[in-house]
Amino acid sequence: MEPGTARIAVDLLGGDDAPAVVVDGALRAVRADPDLHLLLVGPTEVAGGLIDALDPAQRARIAVRPVRTAVGMADHPTAARAHSTVRAAVHAVREGLADALVSAGSTGATVTAAALGFGRWSDVRRPALVATLPAVAGPVVLLDVGGSLEPRPATLARHAVLGAAYAAVAHGVVEPRVGLLSVGTEAGKGDRLRRAADPVLAAAPLPCGARYVGLVEGYDVSLGVRADVVVTDGFTGNVLLKAIEGAYAMAGGPPASGGAPRAAALLGVAGTVVVCHGAARPDEVASGIALAAHLWRRGATELISSLLDGIPQDSAHGNEVVQ
Amino acid sequence: MEPGTARIAVDLLGGDDAPAVVVDGALRAVRADPDLHLLLVGPTEVAGGLIDALDPAQRARIAVRPVRTAVGMADHPTAARAHSTVRAAVHAVREGLADALVSAGSTGATVTAAALGFGRWSDVRRPALVATLPAVAGPVVLLDVGGSLEPRPATLARHAVLGAAYAAVAHGVVEPRVGLLSVGTEAGKGDRLRRAADPVLAAAPLPCGARYVGLVEGYDVSLGVRADVVVTDGFTGNVLLKAIEGAYAMAGGPPASGGAPRAAALLGVAGTVVVCHGAARPDEVASGIALAAHLWRRGATELISSLLDGIPQDSAHGNEVVQ
């Protein structure tokens, strides 16, 4: 556990089995980390009984922020109410009541709320969801896993920069190797997007001593032999991450180093945001909260943003249409 | 083992470690299946010593077909010579010297040689590579895994028909459930291709009592809970298959039901063709040969082709540009 207080706002209504699973996960996180403070954002009544069961020292580190609109929207579907709680959680961070935010709600709603509330980094048009998989030689940073389903080559190049900075800052990877996911490793392999992106990535300056190693394959995401950072479109990254999770379930359980993550960091907005899978279990929500605390303690968002400022962006990037 | 003689032409020069690995795999296949006959296509000298080590009954089931151009091309790179051996193997099947063909060479070269030599089915513009993964409730048929990297919605719909017929004919799946791979299961999830293809697949008549179950996720490829057939573009299918293979390696080995296959059937040409991964090990080459024999013994190619004849193709299909 790294030292330092971290105050995390948690969206109580995000997730398929919210709020019960979220509250359960939040309490696990508080028990595991003595310097963690939580701000539970959403209907107060759901959290009360569970919080009362904590010991006084743990209870003191949990606050609840009622969301006024949630009362008036009691008859609305949970998803609609959840959009208002994630917005309220963003607002709480902006007000300085929390340092970072975790939601297991709709990814789209969280990305939108974070982009509007915190603002986007000026040189990142499409925020990226970044997942870290444990692999043979260390972590593999996979991006994007669902933020940008149809990126242009310039977005993939920008995500290479983001991924390299994230690997160095969040995971301490020295001189990260960055690869572009394709169907083979020889130059020219892949669809039009990959063939267009490969030379753009090869020419892109990367931070933290990172270097582009060219095309990598599906194996490299799970095994991590060729690259520390694997860049792909959000469609492929999303199905890949879930297929690896399914393979571990088929194989009788994840490797000792850990399974496929169900929490991803959102990079490209001026705030620390972690998105959990809607079907995340309590321990996975707790992992997401721990990830948010880790990123806050490392000052990851500001560090990565300042690293990006030193990297020129491709001129073609300005022409990209935001989908 | 199913009854019936099967005569398989094997491309000796296909694969990263050809011919040694291919010969090794071929001999394993012959030992395992007493009704299997092989025609090894390529430079005769490489196979001689190994074949001599077999017992006489096994040796009698192996023939060698020298490829004339391979001699004159001794100074050419293996890849260039391999293109001539896969063409010679296609030719041997056309001459009636073999029933089916296996190559671990370049997928593109094999698809091209097969399409030119056997001809394409008239209503399938883009042949599909079909892989079968063992999953919880039975096999999952995944297509495409590398034949068509950028399909149109009509091609995905045609591949749904191919996949349903393949699941029924090759694996005996009753009333196969067909899903379209995306980032979520709710209608509307996915990129433009998936959003366009979903209603096309929903409207497409399917053979063998198959039914379309809508969007499925990455989990469903490895676990097979929601669908027996998963349709996707060749880029995603290829990286997914390799990521699952890598995950099994990370988890300490594949599940008892079997790992990710390194052999795929080519559907859409008028011949029985199995493509092995270029890095296939001898036992994986032997599996590919066994798959070709299995498909031949079931009359799979002709059965699937005749099932397709009864299914009207989407009118938009005729406009597709072959990439």
Side-chain angles (χ1 to χ4, degrees):
Chain A
M1 199 66 61
E2 295 151 312
T5 300
R7 302 169 305 151
I8 312 297
V10 178
D11 170 11
L12 275 185
L13 286 185
D16 301 348
D17 299 308
V21 165
V22 179
V23 173
D24 190 351
L27 300 189
R28 286 174 195 229
V30 157
R31 286 195 201 99
D33 179 349
D35 292 325
L36 182 70
H37 292 244
L38 294 185
L39 180 67
L40 305 182
V41 182
T44 49
E45 62 278 11
V46 300
L50 288 158
I51 294 170
D52 289 344
L54 293 171
D55 71 40
Q58 292 166 348
R59 199 167 13 185
R61 290 187 281 117
I62 299 190
V64 176
R65 185 176 175 85
V67 175
R68 218 174 305 167
T69 55
V71 177
M73 294 175 75
D75 295 334
H76 286 63
T78 304
R81 287 185 292 147
H83 288 198
S84 72
T85 55
V86 75
R87 280 199 304 267
V90 168
H91 197 66
V93 175
R94 286 193 60 191
E95 285 182 273
L97 299 172
D99 304 317
L101 145 70
V102 174
S103 176
S106 147
T107 300
T110 304
V111 173
T112 302
L116 289 174
F118 297 131
R120 270 197 289 251
W121 292 343
S122 61
D123 48 1
V124 178
R125 285 288 192 83
R126 307 286 306 164
L129 278 169
V130 188
T132 303
L133 293 97
V136 170
V140 169
V141 168
L142 176 67
L143 77 167
D144 177 39
V145 299
S148 175
L149 298 184
E150 290 168 282
R152 296 192 177 200
T155 295
L156 291 180
R158 206 65 190 152
H159 285 183
V161 176
L162 282 177
Y166 186 81
V169 170
H171 301 301
V173 177
V174 178
E175 300 183 353
R177 298 161 302 161
V178 179
L180 175 65
L181 188 65
S182 194
V183 297
T185 57
E186 307 92 335
K189 284 276 184 183
D191 57 6
R192 275 172 295 193
L193 175 61
R194 279 15 95 153
R195 293 197 306 271
D198 184 31
V200 178
L201 267 74
L206 296 173
C208 307
R211 67 180 204 280
Y212 179 60
V213 298
L215 303 181
V216 299
E217 296 182 275
Y219 318 110
D220 299 304
V221 176
S222 27
L223 289 170
V225 174
R226 277 207 190 87
D228 307 298
V229 177
V230 175
V231 176
T232 191
D233 63 278
F235 182 89
T236 307
N238 184 285
V239 297
L240 210 60
L241 193 62
K242 291 172 179 169
I244 291 171
E245 185 182 325
Y248 287 152
M250 274 295 290
S257 52
R262 280 194 150 184
L266 180 66
L267 293 187
V269 298
T272 301
V273 179
V274 168
V275 175
C276 292
H277 191 292
R281 299 184 309 262
D283 61 310
E284 294 165 337
V285 171
S287 293
I289 293 170
L291 173 61
H294 169 73
L295 295 175
W296 168 256
R297 285 165 176 152
R298 291 227 171 168
T301 303
E302 291 195 9
L303 263 173
I304 295 170
S305 172
S306 66
L307 285 167
L308 254 66
D309 286 342
I311 302 289
Q313 59 183 310
D314 189 277
S315 59
H317 190 70
N319 298 323
E320 180 167 6
V321 177
V322 175
Q323 287 141 2
Chain B
M1 201 65 62
E2 296 151 312
T5 299
R7 301 168 307 152
I8 312 298
V10 177
D11 170 11
L12 276 186
L13 286 186
D16 301 347
D17 299 308
V21 165
V22 178
V23 173
D24 189 351
L27 301 189
R28 286 175 195 228
V30 156
R31 286 194 201 100
D33 178 349
D35 292 325
L36 181 69
H37 292 244
L38 295 186
L39 180 67
L40 305 183
V41 182
T44 49
E45 62 279 11
V46 300
L50 288 158
I51 294 170
D52 289 344
L54 293 171
D55 72 40
Q58 291 167 350
R59 199 166 13 182
R61 290 187 281 116
I62 298 190
V64 175
R65 184 176 175 86
V67 175
R68 219 174 304 164
T69 54
V71 177
M73 293 176 74
D75 295 333
H76 286 62
T78 303
R81 289 185 292 147
H83 289 197
S84 71
T85 55
V86 74
R87 281 200 302 269
V90 168
H91 198 65
V93 175
R94 287 193 59 191
E95 286 181 272
L97 298 173
D99 304 317
L101 146 70
V102 174
S103 176
S106 146
T107 301
T110 304
V111 173
T112 302
L116 289 174
F118 298 131
R120 270 198 288 251
W121 291 342
S122 62
D123 48 1
V124 178
R125 287 287 191 85
R126 307 285 306 164
L129 278 170
V130 188
T132 303
L133 294 96
V136 170
V140 169
V141 168
L142 175 67
L143 77 168
D144 179 36
V145 297
S148 175
L149 299 185
E150 291 168 281
R152 295 193 177 198
T155 294
L156 292 180
R158 205 65 190 153
H159 286 181
V161 175
L162 282 177
Y166 187 82
V169 170
H171 301 300
V173 176
V174 177
E175 300 182 353
R177 299 161 300 161
V178 179
L180 175 65
L181 187 64
S182 194
V183 296
T185 57
E186 307 92 334
K189 284 276 184 184
D191 57 5
R192 275 172 294 195
L193 175 61
R194 279 15 96 153
R195 293 196 306 270
D198 185 32
V200 179
L201 266 74
L206 296 172
C208 306
R211 67 178 202 282
Y212 179 60
V213 297
L215 302 182
V216 299
E217 295 181 274
Y219 318 110
D220 299 304
V221 176
S222 27
L223 288 170
V225 174
R226 278 207 190 88
D228 307 299
V229 178
V230 175
V231 176
T232 191
D233 63 279
F235 182 88
T236 306
N238 184 286
V239 297
L240 209 61
L241 193 61
K242 291 171 179 170
I244 291 171
E245 185 182 326
Y248 287 152
M250 273 296 290
S257 52
R262 283 193 148 183
L266 180 66
L267 293 187
V269 298
T272 302
V273 179
V274 168
V275 175
C276 291
H277 192 290
R281 298 184 311 261
D283 61 309
E284 294 165 336
V285 172
S287 292
I289 293 170
L291 173 61
H294 170 74
L295 295 175
W296 168 256
R297 284 164 176 152
R298 292 229 171 167
T301 303
E302 292 195 8
L303 263 173
I304 295 171
S305 173
S306 69
L307 285 165
L308 253 66
D309 287 343
I311 302 290
Q313 58 183 311
D314 190 278
S315 58
H317 190 69
N319 298 324
E320 180 167 5
V321 176
V322 175
Q323 287 140 2

